[in-house]
Amino acid sequence: MRFVKKYWLEMLMVLPLFAYLFYFTFIPVLQTIQISFIDDKSNQVSLINYESLFSHIDFNSALFNTIFITIVGITVQIVIALVIALILKKKFFGRGFFRTIMLIPMGVPTLVSGVTLLFVFGQTGYFNELLYRLGLVSTQPYWLGGGFESLAVIIFADMWKVLPLTVLLLLAGLESIGEDVYEASSIDGANGWKKFWHITLPLLKPSITMAIILRAIDSFRIFELPLVMTGKNVPVLSTFAYEAFQRNQYGLSGAAAVILLLIIILFILLYFFIVERKEARDGR
Amino acid sequence: MKRLTSDRIFKFISFPLLLIIAFMMIFPVYILVKVSISEPSEVNTDHPTFLVHDITLEHWKNIILTDKKTESGQIVYKINIDELMVASEEEEQIIITPDEQYTINGVTRKLSFIEGATYKLSREELKKVRDASTTKKIFFGEETIQKLYMPIWKSLSVATLTTIFAIFIAAPAAYVISRMPKSIGYIIILGLLFTRMFPDVGIALPIATRFVSWQLTDTTLGLIFAHLIPNLPFLAWILVGTFQVIPRDVEKSAMIDGAGRLTTLRKIIFPIAAPGIAVGAMFVWLNSWNEFLYARYLTTVEGTLPIKTFEIITTGSYFTAAAYSTILTIPIIIITFYLQRYLKSGMLSGAVK
């Protein structure tokens, strides 16, 4: 009681947030898990949704596409973002201009970036025209019909949209590394590559981890881009769950969402397990 | 000091690389605007042009203005001159006289009598018919209001109200979290981050079914509730960092001067944190303005602007979609450029720590 008396104001201030998150996030997630175990037809508890899920051809490709887009996409994104961040960290003429240019995609809604890149990668789009004018193709390949080329286009689209944020995250990390560390290593005779490998990268690791985790969560949940750009040609888990919802197959939709949640949690656990363990070993 | 090879290589390739990447960043945005002001013949071909040769504002006019309509809901052109010759698909010559009414669906280039017969018209012919018509395009016509202004209004009100609610719920909580002992605060922040891991499709499913029974689908209030779900933890997360920077001594000295706890919060703490809150609020506004997934789950008829844009792109009218997309993007580009200086250091580095 004394605790309540002393901290009543604080509790009052925190309560709405926690109540909201409890009621509108935590409970719905539990409900989704519950829905996924209930047969839509008979209202009985059963595993039928999961059975039909894994025999569904769209689901299997959705599962593969989601994981592929995330793993490949994030690897490419982090590498490119790191290169850009390293360049932008150096002082040179026009740096402010380039920094501003880099931010443009951030001001474009995800949906719009899907629409725009649809114009670019459509069959009579500007990418094909560019290839044609460069003499690289004579016909017009269709990039969005499914398969690896569509996945590559989606990975590019996702990268285009989020590159600014990733670059900013890494840049903030880079700028927090003090100049004196580099000066000391120069005196010790380290060259650029060695500096990068032995100083920049280890010191940047918290930022990279943060970027990977944040990006991976978003990338697993990717929704608008595949939906707008390829329709049903490239199903991912989110669009699969949405399609099932639209057909009123709530159980199936819930099951797909649960699988997605499991994948995200598994990924993060695995990442920390591998990275942290390596760190512990290195530290010894 | 001697320049080392790897440094030189890096320096040598970095500038061209930067140029290529900068081009890639701008190019799609240019294409978007270009499509929205291009003649259809420049885009609907096997080999679209990269530069804008003829600027046309036709697509913009089409979405901003409404053709005056009859009771049947179809577009009517009255032909002003004495008569007009029109060739039908079978090369027949049809003479149109001023007393008759015609419906024209501009984009599909069809001319049909109200009685039902339909004739194909070429673009030039259509233009002639249009030029000769006395029908005016008007702002705030019924169609434009339904298709453009209502979605814009809905998006605006949802985003603004979401932002206001988010501030009132998240800011006090963030303040308290920032004053908690480090270990507990850290756990709560991790918890907030953890809510981001839940897939939206998983949350939206029970929310959508719940809102049906509460009759909240298609309403502004329902969307605000939904948009608060991802934005509350996000804003709270950002604001904890903002409040942590404010030293405790400030509030202590205010208390010593005799201010109550509420007065201290209202008059000292929140005003100091106001710039940080404003920046966080703008992020929330942007998130809500862009939001697509929840809106898609909770909308059957009255969509927000992103939903409308998506509906248009699925019907295949590229030019209209480009114009809508541009409208959707403009406020965001403006706010992003304003936010740019905050993006650089403070907020994100705070987020990393």
Side-chain angles (χ1 to χ4, degrees):
Chain A
M1 264 347 250
R2 257 176 54 210
F3 181 81
V4 175
K5 222 171 199 174
K6 192 173 173 199
Y7 290 111
W8 66 272
L9 183 64
E10 279 82 355
M11 287 168 76
L12 203 69
M13 285 163 78
V14 196
L15 197 67
L17 178 72
F18 288 166
Y20 199 94
L21 289 181
F22 182 77
Y23 194 63
F24 279 103
T25 306
F26 191 64
I27 297 282
V29 170
L30 292 186
Q31 276 176 328
T32 303
I33 297 173
Q34 189 193 1
I35 290 171
S36 77
F37 285 107
I38 289 174
D39 186 2
D40 284 335
K41 287 182 197 113
S42 62
N43 270 333
Q44 297 282 308
V45 175
S46 77
L47 284 173
I48 187 139
N49 292 318
Y50 289 93
E51 279 166 26
S52 53
L53 201 61
F54 282 102
S55 57
H56 206 298
I57 185 157
D58 270 357
F59 175 78
N60 288 324
S61 60
L63 193 62
F64 172 78
N65 290 342
T66 309
I67 293 173
F68 185 86
I69 288 172
T70 305
I71 305 272
V72 177
I74 299 237
T75 314
V76 176
Q77 271 168 37
I78 296 287
V79 171
I80 293 184
L82 192 57
V83 172
I84 298 175
L86 283 172
I87 297 174
L88 286 181
K89 196 197 150 215
K90 297 242 154 73
K91 288 190 176 65
F92 60 89
F93 179 72
R95 183 171 73 150
F97 171 74
F98 277 113
R99 280 194 176 196
T100 308
I101 296 285
M102 283 310 159
L103 284 179
I104 285 181
M106 211 156 96
V108 178
T110 317
L111 180 77
V112 175
S113 70
V115 173
T116 316
L117 291 165
L118 194 64
F119 296 150
V120 175
F121 287 104
Q123 191 151 26
T124 58
Y126 293 88
F127 183 63
N128 273 345
E129 181 62 13
L130 189 71
L131 291 182
Y132 176 81
R133 290 202 190 173
L134 292 174
L136 292 173
V137 291
S138 49
T139 55
Q140 288 167 323
Y142 186 44
W143 301 98
L144 302 171
F148 276 104
E149 61 270 29
S150 301
L151 287 178
V153 169
I154 289 178
I155 286 172
F156 177 84
D158 187 44
M159 185 181 83
W160 185 79
K161 169 69 190 135
V162 299
L163 206 54
L165 202 69
T166 322
V167 169
L168 282 172
L169 265 174
L170 296 180
L171 206 54
L174 276 179
E175 278 168 354
S176 66
I177 302 174
E179 268 315 304
D180 45 342
V181 187
Y182 289 108
E183 275 162 29
S185 68
S186 294
I187 294 167
D188 289 346
N191 65 12
W193 179 248
K194 270 189 180 156
K195 271 191 218 165
F196 172 74
W197 199 247
H198 293 290
I199 298 170
T200 312
L201 217 48
L203 286 176
L204 199 59
K205 217 169 124 198
S207 298
I208 295 178
T209 300
M210 193 70 194
I212 287 178
I213 298 285
L214 287 180
R215 283 301 308 134
I217 293 171
D218 280 346
S219 179
F220 278 124
R221 303 186 302 182
I222 191 166
F223 180 71
E224 287 111 314
L225 289 174
L227 191 70
V228 175
M229 293 179 69
T230 60
K232 286 180 181 135
N233 292 341
V234 181
V236 292
L237 286 176
S238 287
T239 55
F240 181 87
Y242 170 70
E243 302 279 349
F245 165 79
Q246 270 208 318
R247 292 191 303 265
N248 286 335
Q249 295 172 318
Y250 294 154
L252 201 66
S253 176
V258 170
I259 298 282
L260 183 53
L261 177 63
L262 283 180
I263 290 176
I264 294 174
I265 292 175
L266 198 70
F267 174 85
I268 290 172
L269 287 181
L270 263 178
Y271 181 85
F272 273 113
F273 186 67
I274 292 168
V275 173
E276 295 297 311
R277 242 185 68 167
K278 192 161 170 289
E279 197 149 84
R281 216 180 326 143
D282 290 349
R284 220 180 293 151
Chain B
M1 203 180 14
K2 202 174 68 183
R3 277 256 154 228
L4 293 143
T5 17
S6 58
D7 289 334
R8 254 207 320 257
I9 293 171
F10 186 77
K11 203 157 191 196
F12 189 68
I13 60 164
S14 66
F15 199 71
L17 198 68
L18 208 55
L19 276 180
I20 292 171
I21 291 169
F23 173 77
M24 267 166 48
M25 296 283 125
I26 300 178
F27 183 67
V29 179
Y30 163 73
I31 290 296
L32 181 70
V33 179
K34 184 218 177 276
V35 170
S36 80
I37 56 169
S38 290
E39 286 285 349
S41 58
E42 272 181 28
V43 178
N44 288 338
T45 75
D46 279 356
H47 299 291
T49 56
F50 282 99
L51 299 174
V52 186
H53 294 285
D54 292 308
I55 290 182
T56 169
L57 294 176
E58 203 53 37
H59 315 303
W60 282 94
K61 276 190 199 152
N62 277 343
I63 67 163
I64 296 175
L65 306 171
T66 310
D67 293 305
K68 225 174 163 187
K69 290 184 296 182
T70 60
E71 282 171 350
S72 62
Q74 288 169 310
I75 306 159
V76 171
Y77 290 91
K78 261 194 172 172
I79 310 301
N80 215 10
I81 48 174
D82 283 350
E83 54 178 42
L84 191 77
M85 298 278 280
V86 175
S88 76
E89 221 176 4
E90 294 86 17
E91 306 277 299
E92 291 171 326
Q93 299 273 304
I94 304 157
I95 296 167
I96 298 167
T97 56
D99 306 327
E100 291 165 303
Q101 289 188 321
Y102 314 93
T103 69
I104 296 171
N105 305 323
V107 190
T108 50
R109 299 171 204 172
K110 274 182 188 166
L111 173 77
S112 63
F113 291 89
I114 275 183
E115 287 83 18
T118 310
Y119 300 94
K120 284 235 173 197
L121 274 185
S122 74
R123 204 183 152 71
E124 288 71 29
E125 287 162 339
L126 180 74
K127 224 175 177 177
K128 268 188 220 155
V129 176
R130 282 201 162 176
D131 290 345
S133 75
T134 56
T135 314
K136 277 185 189 143
K137 290 180 166 246
I138 48 165
F139 280 107
F140 303 110
E142 211 175 302
E143 196 187 346
T144 321
I145 289 176
Q146 260 175 24
K147 282 192 178 157
L148 184 68
Y149 298 130
M150 287 301 280
I152 288 182
W153 173 243
K154 189 161 187 188
S155 280
L156 268 180
S157 48
V158 168
T160 310
L161 288 171
T162 302
T163 310
I164 294 170
F165 281 127
I167 293 172
F168 275 101
I169 298 175
Y175 166 76
V176 174
I177 295 169
S178 77
R179 292 296 184 255
M180 281 176 177
K182 271 240 165 76
S183 53
I184 301 175
Y186 187 66
I187 290 171
I188 291 180
I189 290 173
L190 271 187
L192 290 179
L193 194 64
F194 190 69
T195 61
R196 270 185 64 120
M197 282 165 48
F198 300 138
D200 294 319
V201 283
I203 300 173
L205 171 70
I207 294 274
T209 47
R210 203 189 287 178
F211 279 14
V212 169
S213 58
W214 290 356
Q215 296 179 330
L216 279 177
T217 40
D218 267 338
T219 61
T220 305
L221 190 66
L223 270 182
I224 293 169
F225 276 135
H227 286 184
L228 282 174
I229 294 169
N231 279 314
L232 275 182
F234 170 76
L235 185 64
W237 187 45
I238 286 183
L239 290 185
V240 168
T242 309
F243 285 116
Q244 263 168 354
V245 193
I246 302 173
R248 282 170 197 235
D249 297 345
V250 175
E251 48 199 290
K252 270 185 199 149
S253 50
M255 303 266 249
I256 289 165
D257 288 346
R261 279 206 287 178
L262 271 176
T263 326
T264 316
L265 279 180
R266 202 160 46 88
K267 294 232 166 114
I268 313 282
I269 302 295
F270 285 114
I272 296 177
I277 295 176
V279 173
M282 275 190 260
F283 274 108
V284 172
W285 195 90
L286 286 184
N287 287 344
S288 175
W289 172 262
N290 287 343
E291 210 285 326
F292 180 72
L293 195 143
Y294 285 104
R296 190 86 182 125
Y297 268 78
L298 296 175
T299 304
T300 49
V301 192
E302 286 175 31
T304 53
L305 198 56
I307 297 295
K308 214 77 202 171
T309 312
F310 179 70
E311 281 169 8
I312 289 164
I313 196 78
T314 48
T315 60
S317 23
Y318 274 19
F319 303 100
T320 321
Y324 267 86
S325 299
T326 312
I327 295 178
L328 192 59
T329 310
I330 290 168
I332 304 179
I333 292 265
I334 295 171
I335 298 181
T336 308
F337 276 98
Y338 179 74
L339 283 180
Q340 188 187 337
R341 52 193 157 137
Y342 299 102
L343 282 172
K344 271 179 192 160
S345 49
M347 184 150 293
L348 286 163
S349 60
V352 173
K353 282 168 207 158

